[in-house]
Amino acid sequence: MDVDQVTEIVMDAARVAILPRFRALADGEVAEKSPGEVVTVADREAEELISRRLREVLDAPVVGEEAAAEDPRLSRALGEAPATARWLLLG
């Protein structure tokens, strides 16, 4: 996988999940995952899209910030994979 592929994946997620909701989040599309730390439906959707697309082109664990916040066990996948075969998505 090259940088151009990753860039295209991220740009697609921005077009699909982020830009349509810019300054237009509805009630219920913003939540507090911990005190003072918010997450939006756009955050979650973008992470899911990026994670899925990365897994389609690379056989490596992909652990996103939002998914790991909901299931901390996912972070273990990073430690178990070779350093050259893992992705960590931070929002």
Side-chain angles (χ1 to χ4, degrees), residues 6-45:
V6 174
T7 300
E8 187 59 33
I9 289 169
V10 172
M11 294 297 292
D12 284 345
R15 280 189 289 273
V16 170
I18 304 296
L19 294 175
R21 292 184 176 98
F22 183 69
R23 297 184 185 230
L25 290 168
D27 290 339
E29 291 186 324
V30 179
E32 196 171 46
K33 61 183 174 182
S34 63
E37 195 170 346
V38 298
V39 61
T40 69
V41 66
D43 295 326
R44 288 187 172 126
E45 187 176 323

Side-chain angles (χ1 to χ4, degrees), residues 65-77:
E65 176 185 6
E66 308 312 337
E70 295 206 10
D71 184 357
R73 295 173 299 170
L74 293 174
S75 297
R76 278 189 244 149

